[in-house]
Amino acid sequence: MTAGDASARSRTASLVLAGISGALFGAGLVISGLVQPARIIGLLDVFGHWDPTLVIVMAAAIAVYAPASRRLLRRRQRPWFEVRFHVPTRRDIDAQLVIGAAIFGIGWGIGGLCPGPGIVAAGTGSTSGVTFLIAMLAGMYAQHRIASEPLLRPRHLVPRGSPTGGEATPVP
Amino acid sequence: MIGVASTLLLLTHGRIAGISGVTGGLLLRSSPDRAWRFAFVSGLAVAGVVASIVAPSAIGGPVRSQSALVVAGLLVGFGTRLGNGCTSGHGVCGVSRWSTRSIVAVAVFMTTGAITVMIAGHLS
């Protein structure tokens, strides 16, 4: 076996495991009822017919993840397929965080779907799920655009080698 | 199960299982690692496909009109990218790390979500 074989095999394994993580996550969302917009609305209907059962689901996920992730980050130098762990380190509370979360909450309250359940719902093939997912991707795209982050777009629109994706290139 | 899945992604890829972040990265030209993101998101969608066959009753129908869902999707997409996270990234992973940013984010989106549902309830 050559080194090339080994790296190709590890790449396949890494993608399979990422897929399994996603599928497990999705299964968890389905089983716990988080993909049902009516249940989400119930969770958020604090001033009406409040249904706090989903709080227990979230708490259970945290009860598993909190000790497991802490142990993992303490014991291991690096993850299996990456050079290092990518864990957020920011601590500042800025306007973007608060405004972004506020906008997300409004959308969540309107549709009863957040990103994970939205993707699962689209996977079921329901029109509403697909509609929501497309709109969500458009919203993400719009935010990236406003923040002028380099976006994925058709190659011919992007000058090669331009670190900004060509957007901020001054006209000579 | 969500906790186990998030732990698995951290162990294998060293990433926070924040759905909005993983998905948003798919749209960025700058991310060199779109392959695993695509694999993860595909896994989520596959869970939906399987659920629709095995347990169709577990998938609730929409509670709002299509046009409302368009507005909802736009706000969710925009808001989660601006605020760097959603229910999974801030809610599960962030709170697990006892991150102040995440706790603030969760408090804010639960509050605006609750207010939105209250207003929607009064309108309908």
Side-chain angles (χ1 to χ4, degrees):
Chain A
M1 193 177 75
T2 66
D5 285 342
S7 79
R9 198 167 297 178
S10 114
R11 183 165 169 78
T12 309
S14 99
L15 293 182
V16 167
L17 277 162
I20 291 173
S21 303
L24 256 178
F25 200 105
L29 292 176
V30 172
I31 291 168
S32 53
L34 277 162
V35 295
Q36 299 178 30
R39 298 280 311 270
I40 298 291
I41 302 294
L43 168 73
L44 292 173
D45 199 5
V46 186
F47 309 107
H49 308 280
W50 192 40
D51 169 18
T53 47
L54 291 184
V55 175
I56 297 163
V57 173
M58 298 295 284
I62 293 168
V64 171
Y65 185 76
S69 61
R70 197 156 301 170
R71 226 179 128 103
L72 202 73
L73 291 172
R74 206 175 44 226
R75 295 255 174 110
R76 292 191 64 92
Q77 295 295 313
R78 46 176 288 189
W80 288 357
F81 302 112
E82 294 263 340
V83 190
R84 62 183 184 88
F85 285 102
H86 300 264
V87 177
T89 49
R90 282 180 65 179
R91 293 182 168 278
D92 57 310
I93 310 294
D94 58 351
Q96 291 197 345
L97 177 82
V98 175
I99 295 168
I103 293 173
F104 162 49
I106 295 169
W108 198 30
I110 294 175
L113 287 168
C114 51
I119 295 167
V120 175
T124 66
S126 78
T127 321
S128 54
V130 175
T131 304
F132 177 84
L133 179 63
I134 293 171
M136 183 180 91
L137 292 174
M140 289 179 165
Y141 188 87
Q143 198 280 326
H144 292 166
R145 220 184 151 84
I146 287 169
S148 75
E149 291 183 73
L151 285 164
L152 176 69
R153 71 184 76 152
R155 268 294 144 84
H156 64 275
L157 292 175
V158 184
R160 277 186 179 264
S162 161
T164 58
E167 204 159 54
T169 314
V171 180
Chain B
M1 210 158 181
I2 294 168
V4 172
S6 306
T7 308
L8 183 63
L9 191 71
L10 186 69
L11 171 66
T12 57
H13 293 266
R15 295 285 177 167
I16 298 296
I19 312 292
S20 59
V22 174
T23 312
L26 270 177
L27 302 174
L28 289 176
R29 256 190 98 244
S30 61
S31 43
D33 53 357
R34 288 207 294 269
W36 73 266
R37 293 172 186 274
F38 189 75
F40 184 85
V41 171
S42 302
L44 274 175
V46 166
V49 175
V50 173
S52 67
I53 299 164
V54 180
S57 60
I59 307 153
V63 289
R64 311 277 193 230
S65 68
Q66 293 289 318
S67 48
L69 282 171
V70 171
V71 176
L74 286 171
L75 293 175
V76 168
F78 192 92
T80 50
R81 294 311 292 150
L82 185 65
N84 281 316
C86 58
T87 337
S88 51
H90 280 315
V92 174
C93 300
V95 171
S96 289
R97 291 184 297 111
W98 213 241
S99 149
T100 319
R101 276 172 64 82
S102 292
I103 292 166
V104 168
V106 172
V108 171
F109 67 62
M110 290 297 294
T111 305
T112 57
I115 293 169
T116 307
V117 167
M118 184 182 70
I119 294 169
H122 280 288
L123 291 178
S124 60

